Amino acid sequence: MPSTRLDLERIRAARGIIDPVFLDTPLYQCDELGRELGCTMSIKLETANPVRSFKARGTELVARLLADRGETEAVCASAGNLGQALGWSGRLRGVRVTVVASHMAPAIKLDRIRASGAELEVVDGDFESARERAAHLARLRGIRLVEDSLDIETCEGAATIGLELAGSAAPFDAVLIALGGGAMATGVGFVLKSLSPDVEVICVQPAGAPAMTRSWHQCRVVTTGPTDTIADGVAGRYPIPAVLDDLLSVADDAVLVSEASIVTGMRTLLECAGLVVEPSAALGVSAVLEDRDRFAGRHIATVICGSNVDMNAYRSWVHV
């Protein structure tokens, strides 16, 4: 079992805490997608839930922990999906949630944060500016700062996806996971390396937001300048050292893909699987498109991690 901050028994216990609406999401082989990509392709669909992303698996654990401790308020920075999920989970458990987001976040994600019941504060700058403001509010108010990927609950909640993948009747040769802050990649990767060690765990990140991938390859934290990608959900610049340590223990590879491949991946998922997804969710397909020989003839699974996408932007990208 890899040496990380995560614990397999806690992850198994998490299934009893997470609302069942977020568990056992569809996992199926998509033959048309496989024919297009030249491999056997299975999809783990993490958009078929009330917040349209995988993030609530982690926020369910966070909100339960806060409620058990009698804490009634929390704040987080979010590119969009975490804030919506924490708002949803907090509302059901009596936890008031404040979300700080960058003005560059898609309007649809900001609208859904508000609809979740969370208080939203929008700041100038990018996601890192939102992180700084959220940390300031936590100190000012004396409340819990929820930090995606650093808080182990966000990783172990996402890791329950790995339990469902590892329990699949059909074994996979590789699993492709979108890489941003690292919660999903470390969580799913940890479970797969613990239960299905022969499965190759491959993390995928946009070339326009490469901080965590560069860090993984250099085995040290590498920060970057401003990001340049439509995949806003994975566009961080400052990797968290503890998360990188976990990722180094569980990932077999980390690759970068171009913006053109991300757009083609989104279009391919629409045409072959009937799925409208946000750019981050197309990263796995994008990786296959860029290196078909590597994946030819193999059974690949990819996690479709979110579908909170602005439809006007989506149409302009995929030309529908």
Side-chain angles (χ1 to χ4, degrees):
M1 186 176 295
S3 176
T4 70
R5 299 175 300 145
L6 288 82
D7 180 84
L8 194 58
E9 291 311 308
R10 287 200 307 260
I11 294 165
R12 287 178 170 137
R15 286 183 54 85
I17 297 171
I18 299 168
D19 190 312
V21 74
F22 299 110
L23 297 173
D24 300 312
T25 51
L27 172 62
Y28 59 95
Q29 185 174 313
C30 184
D31 292 338
E32 186 173 349
L33 184 60
R35 285 192 295 271
E36 176 64 26
L37 297 176
C39 59
T40 300
M41 199 75 189
S42 289
I43 287 171
K44 182 63 169 162
L45 191 62
E46 288 296 305
T47 64
N49 61 57
V51 302
R52 305 187 190 186
S53 82
F54 78 96
K55 293 288 189 180
R57 290 182 184 251
T59 60
E60 285 287 277
L61 301 186
V62 171
R64 168 68 177 272
L65 177 65
L66 291 172
D68 287 350
R69 292 177 175 175
E71 298 182 47
T72 60
E73 193 171 358
V75 60
C76 73
S78 175
N81 288 345
L82 176 74
Q84 181 185 353
L86 187 60
W88 194 95
S89 298
R91 185 183 70 242
L92 296 184
R93 291 170 175 80
V95 177
R96 180 187 172 204
V97 172
T98 299
V99 178
V100 184
S102 164
H103 74 285
M104 295 185 287
I108 188 66
K109 290 187 177 181
L110 299 180
D111 289 343
R112 288 177 179 159
I113 289 171
R114 295 185 185 98
S116 74
E119 175 187 338
L120 175 65
E121 180 176 328
V122 180
V123 299
D124 292 332
D126 62 9
F127 176 71
E128 301 305 335
S129 299
R131 274 172 47 164
E132 291 173 5
R133 176 59 178 168
H136 173 74
L137 289 177
R139 292 191 298 268
L140 186 68
R141 298 179 185 176
I143 60 175
R144 168 70 181 270
L145 173 64
V146 177
E147 296 189 78
D148 197 18
S149 304
L150 179 59
D151 288 352
I152 198 65
E153 297 86 5
T154 62
C155 302
E156 293 186 338
T160 59
I161 299 170
L163 292 178
E164 294 164 21
L165 287 167
S168 171
F172 306 112
D173 296 308
V175 175
L176 298 168
I177 310 168
L179 177 61
M184 182 167 63
T186 59
V188 174
F190 172 78
V191 172
L192 291 175
K193 287 304 173 187
S194 299
L195 301 180
S196 304
D198 292 336
V199 175
E200 189 177 15
V201 174
I202 304 172
C203 304
V204 189
Q205 196 166 40
M212 187 62 104
T213 295
R214 289 182 180 174
S215 298
W216 185 87
H217 281 282
Q218 296 186 35
C219 299
R220 64 179 181 85
V221 170
V222 176
T223 61
T224 62
T227 58
D228 183 18
T229 179
I230 61 173
D232 58 280
V234 293
R237 297 191 287 120
Y238 296 103
I240 298 169
V243 183
L244 175 60
D245 288 343
D246 291 342
L247 191 68
L248 288 167
S249 295
V250 303
D252 294 298
D253 199 4
V255 301
L256 298 174
V257 294
S258 70
E259 295 297 290
S261 293
I262 295 171
V263 170
T264 303
M266 295 169 69
R267 186 183 304 116
T268 302
L269 282 165
L270 176 63
E271 293 174 348
C272 296
L275 296 175
V276 175
V277 304
E278 59 187 82
S280 301
L283 289 171
V285 171
S286 305
V288 180
L289 287 166
E290 288 204 357
D291 197 354
R292 289 175 181 268
D293 289 345
R294 176 177 185 175
F295 300 103
R298 304 174 72 194
H299 189 176
I300 310 301
T302 188
V303 182
I304 306 299
C305 55
S307 62
N308 289 302
V309 62
D310 179 274
M311 288 308 299
N312 289 328
Y314 181 86
R315 293 186 187 98
S316 72
W317 294 328
V318 303
H319 304 297
V320 296

